[in-house]
Amino acid sequence: MPRYLVTSALPYCNGPIHFGHVTGAYLPADVYVRTLRMQGEEVLYVCGGDEHGTAITINAEQEGVPYSEYVSRWRTAIKDTFDRFGIRFDVWSGTSICPEHAATSQEFFRRLDQNGYLQKQSTEQLYCPKDKMFLADRYILGTCYLCGHESARGNECPNCGQELEPLKMKVARCKICGTTPEKRPTLHWYLDLAQLRDEHIGAWFADHPWKPNVTGFIGNQLSQIGLRPITRDMSWGVPVPEDRAGGERGKVLYVWFDAPIGYVSFTQEWARLQGKPDEWKRWWQSEDTRLVHFIGKDNISFHCVIFPSMLFGVKQQYVLPWQVPANEFYNLQGGKFSTSEKRTIPIEDFCARFDPEAARFYLLASAPETADSDWRWEDFQACVNASLADKIGNLVTRILRFLDKNYEGQVPACDDATAAEFERVLLSECGPIGDPAVFVREFKFRRAAEQLVANAVVANVFVDRLAPWTLRKTDPARAGAVLAICCDWIALLARWMVPFMPGKAQAIWEMLGNTGRVEAGGWPELPCAGRWRSLAAGQKLGTVSGLFAKLDDATVAAEVARLGT
């Protein structure tokens, strides 16, 4: 039986994450993990902060705080966002705090070198004689050699948008002190991706079934790959192992190289904390493991070419990715999310004024699975009001409140003959019924969300057709039987809802008078006549309360106006 090792792209601890990040790599993974667990699968969900690199060092220096303090603040803020949206990991760590991370990253470097996949090359790099350091591209300012812009960065010109080569910069200067840097030779290591492609990764990728957007993104990249630098001259990062450095000093592993190794080191940390330090091998070095990477499309090449090359190249029987369900970009009201331009939705403020679980559902229902998509406030309003409040919330509250008022707050009785009659109507005459988990397993989260609502609509059609409020006036026992069937369907709906809106699912479960966690009962099979009902006649209902508050036009208009769209 396979086990599922699920990862989400490590969020970079250099600022807040926004809805685009949440729906791109984290929320779909959470839904996937919850669904598989309810179906009895063995699953481990691994994530944590990506905490090295020059962007972090520059911003920390500008704030005048230690690098470790800077990334700790953003690691905490990012985790708080995940908590607000109910996204749960089995292990949450960080590349600068995981005790296993440096040694594991160095071991990857060491084995790749020993196996002949690394090359050393001496290149010229700009060096600041005042600060006595080689300058990473982000530490260089100067005049763009393409358009003449005088405040270009070493890696990119903000005026013409072109990527730049630092050595070609005109009138270059050190971003730290303003000194004119000088060219000096420096030695670095490079990963030979072409050799790894030719040995195995090229054929492996070509033979593997991927999402169409993944295959399309890689395109001709495999034919164009070559040497990729994996070291930098910096102090913040994982040092190159001394036994392979040949006396070189001040070299660290490039952030892109050590970050994905965090998936492995965090799993090692989790295993140690479980008191089973070797347990990580069962997840990473067993052919029974299915490795699933949830990412955005900007990380496709890393997870489909580069990281698999690293895993293969160390020759330690590491599993390669089974699926990489990459999403496209998620935008905001027709434009990109941009914290610097204040085109964003502040998470803390949103969660104080709106329902995070309603947002979970809308983010899934509008996810950028095959093409870029948008958060649109008008569509969020329609989703909340029509799908959640009317089709799910109203179904639950009108049934349970009617029982509270007219049937002593209990699940009514329903004899076998009447149950068979009503089941036939419900299961064959009130609309199509489907299993949302089928679509979750296919990484079709939008379709899964649609199916959940469609299943709620079936019950609404059933109750409208049989009208128990009217039937009670002439035949209260038969009306009670209708309501009993509805209660059982609501219980089924609560179990289907767990991966999408776990808090609402639990609330419905308790309104029905059930105890314990709703997910403890496992994932329900599609209802089959005589084999799906779970509630006992006479079961006392819990306290009934509203589930979803509708959004008014004025609130939505104000949010749209705030964005200037």
Side-chain angles (χ1 to χ4, degrees), residues 9-312:
L10 305 188
Y12 198 47
C13 292
N14 191 41
I17 61 172
H18 53 63
F19 279 5
H21 300 123
V22 171
T23 196
Y26 308 100
L27 181 55
D30 182 75
V31 173
Y32 186 74
V33 167
R34 289 176 185 269
T35 301
L36 264 58
R37 283 217 170 101
M38 287 186 69
Q39 291 187 320
E41 302 283 10
E42 187 180 12
V43 190
L44 187 68
Y45 186 16
V46 178
C47 197
D50 176 2
E51 300 172 354
H52 295 131
T54 55
I56 283 171
T57 60
I58 288 174
N59 287 339
E61 289 162 5
Q62 289 177 342
E63 291 188 13
V65 298
Y67 305 146
S68 59
E69 180 181 326
Y70 181 83
V71 297
S72 176
R73 168 161 43 98
W74 286 117
R75 184 192 316 117
T76 300
I78 290 168
K79 182 58 166 58
D80 181 63
T81 294
F82 293 141
D83 291 343
R84 290 176 187 275
F85 285 99
I87 296 169
R88 302 183 307 187
F89 309 101
D90 292 301
V91 58
W92 167 261
S93 190
T95 55
S96 71
I97 61 168
C98 173
E100 287 79 6
H101 184 68
T104 301
S105 299
Q106 290 173 334
E107 184 64 11
F108 264 72
F109 180 97
R110 184 179 294 110
R111 289 188 177 277
L112 286 167
D113 197 17
Q114 291 171 344
N115 294 335
Y117 298 119
L118 300 188
Q119 293 187 25
K120 287 189 289 186
Q121 292 185 4
S122 179
T123 60
E124 282 193 327
Q125 190 172 328
L126 294 179
Y127 181 88
C128 178
K130 181 176 180 179
D131 293 312
K132 293 180 172 55
M133 61 182 286
F134 283 99
L135 299 178
D137 48 21
R138 292 173 184 259
Y139 279 87
I140 301 167
L141 296 176
T143 301
C144 176
Y145 53 84
L146 297 174
C147 72
H149 183 67
E150 295 182 352
S151 298
R153 299 185 296 270
N155 63 325
E156 182 183 28
C157 176
N159 183 57
C160 66
Q162 296 297 310
E163 292 186 5
L164 301 179
E165 297 179 35
L167 291 174
K168 293 183 179 181
M169 294 281 286
K170 297 179 179 179
V171 198
R173 61 190 183 276
C174 172
K175 186 172 183 176
I176 301 172
C177 65
T179 299
T180 299
E182 57 191 45
K183 295 179 182 179
R184 289 192 182 182
T186 182
L187 186 69
H188 283 293
W189 283 260
Y190 295 76
L191 179 62
D192 192 342
L193 289 170
Q195 182 182 351
L196 288 157
R197 174 202 61 201
D198 295 343
E199 281 192 21
H200 181 67
I201 296 301
W204 165 78
F205 182 85
D207 293 342
H208 205 71
W210 305 103
K211 283 182 63 178
N213 65 323
V214 170
T215 304
F217 187 91
I218 295 297
N220 295 323
Q221 286 187 22
L222 278 170
S223 65
Q224 300 170 358
I225 60 175
L227 298 178
R228 187 180 181 93
I230 64 171
T231 58
R232 301 196 87 173
D233 291 294
M234 290 182 66
S235 61
W236 179 244
V238 176
V240 172
E242 289 188 12
D243 60 312
R244 310 305 295 182
E248 291 288 323
R249 301 292 180 185
K251 311 286 184 183
V252 301
L253 303 182
Y254 223 130
V255 63
W256 70 259
F257 181 84
D258 88 271
I261 297 171
Y263 299 140
V264 180
S265 60
F266 298 169
T267 308
Q268 293 171 337
E269 180 181 4
W270 167 84
R272 173 175 51 79
L273 294 174
Q274 302 300 310
K276 301 177 181 179
D278 289 332
E279 180 72 2
W280 71 273
K281 296 177 182 178
R282 196 169 69 90
W283 291 93
W284 279 101
Q285 297 175 339
S286 169
E287 61 182 14
D288 295 330
T289 296
R290 291 179 174 179
L291 174 60
V292 183
H293 293 305
F294 282 85
I295 59 170
K297 70 177 177 182
D298 51 339
N299 275 318
I300 290 175
S301 60
F302 282 99
H303 289 78
C304 290
V305 178
I306 299 171
F307 187 47
S309 295
M310 294 160 57
L311 292 170
F312 170 75

Side-chain angles (χ1 to χ4, degrees), residues 509-520:
W509 192 248
E510 293 174 3
M511 286 185 208
L512 289 166
N514 294 312
T515 58
R517 301 299 304 173
V518 57
E519 60 265 30

